[in-house]
Amino acid sequence: MVLPDGAVVEGWYRNGACHREGGPAYVERRPDGTVIEQWRKDDELHREDGPAQVKRHPDGTVIEWWYRNDKLRREDGPAYVRRCPDGTVVEGWYRRVVLHREDGPAWVRRCPDGTTESEAWWLDGTEVEPWEVLGRYLRRRGVPGLSAEALRQIVRDMPWQRWDELGPDHPLVALWSTVHPTADARAG
């Protein structure tokens, strides 16, 4: 089918619903060279083993959205990824359709050389401070509630990329929980 703007659309259907197994169920080729592919199951964006929507721009920019059951989410990485031709990468972690990440920033923009240009921390769709994310992360790893000040200090002392080293017996956790012992209910 050709749309009024000149875009060419292909769609695969089963029982009246956009659906295809083994490939995209919807493909749109726009006159400017942009190509959009959508993997759909019973009309819902859904893919088990990759992004459910991919948009390729003529300049080389590729944007991926990971959906399961029509919800923007991914268990093992960012659900939104934009790769630009200059090497810039933007990643967004989502859970239940909102920005959310418990082991690092939920929104990250990396420069072509791999350095982080900007990052934002989100829990359940609310922008938070890194120490709040660390508080939730540590509680899930069995570390009892630490004070906000202890969490802030640990964030200053250890980059989030190394948080997996932290546990109840880690020297930083022991030190800062002793120096700042009062638990803060807001921490994560």
Side-chain angles (χ1 to χ4, degrees):
M1 164 192 336
V2 178
L3 300 178
D5 66 359
V8 177
V9 175
E10 296 176 89
W12 286 259
Y13 293 85
R14 184 177 76 179
N15 299 326
C18 192
H19 179 96
R20 184 177 176 197
E21 303 204 13
Y26 175 90
V27 178
E28 181 178 330
R29 292 176 177 81
R30 295 182 177 167
D32 69 358
T34 300
V35 177
I36 300 170
E37 298 175 328
Q38 294 180 344
W39 280 254
R40 290 185 171 269
K41 179 179 175 182
D42 299 322
D43 240 5
E44 293 185 342
L45 284 165
H46 181 86
R47 189 172 177 194
E48 299 283 336
D49 60 352
Q53 180 168 301
V54 179
K55 186 175 187 179
R56 292 178 178 83
H57 293 270
D59 69 358
T61 299
V62 177
I63 306 172
E64 300 173 345
W65 292 267
W66 297 65
Y67 282 85
R68 301 218 32 204
N69 301 316
D70 219 30
K71 292 184 175 40
L72 183 63
R73 61 178 290 228
R74 184 176 173 194
E75 297 298 322
D76 60 350
Y80 171 88
V81 180
R82 182 176 70 219
R83 292 180 179 85
C84 301
D86 69 356
T88 300
V89 177
V90 177
E91 298 173 328
W93 277 255
Y94 287 81
R95 184 176 77 176
R96 295 186 199 114
V97 196
V98 297
L99 281 165
H100 177 88
R101 187 176 180 194
E102 296 182 3
D103 64 352
W107 193 261
V108 180
R109 181 180 173 94
R110 291 191 178 83
C111 299
D113 66 3
T115 59
T116 300
E117 178 180 315
S118 63
E119 57 190 27
W121 301 76
W122 294 75
L123 290 171
D124 302 313
T126 301
E127 192 165 11
V128 296
E129 295 297 322
W131 66 267
E132 295 172 283
V133 175
L134 177 62
R136 186 175 293 186
Y137 176 77
L138 289 175
R139 271 200 319 284
R140 291 189 185 267
R141 296 193 61 172
V143 177
L146 296 171
S147 71
E149 191 51 45
L151 292 167
R152 285 184 188 101
Q153 190 59 51
I154 294 169
V155 164
R156 285 191 287 270
D157 291 344
M158 178 171 275
W160 66 265
Q161 295 90 337
R162 294 184 47 210
W163 285 0
D164 62 338
E165 299 172 19
L166 295 170
D169 299 327
H170 191 279
L172 282 176
V173 173
L175 170 67
W176 293 116
S177 63
T178 302
V179 174
H180 301 287
T182 306
D184 182 344
R186 295 180 307 129

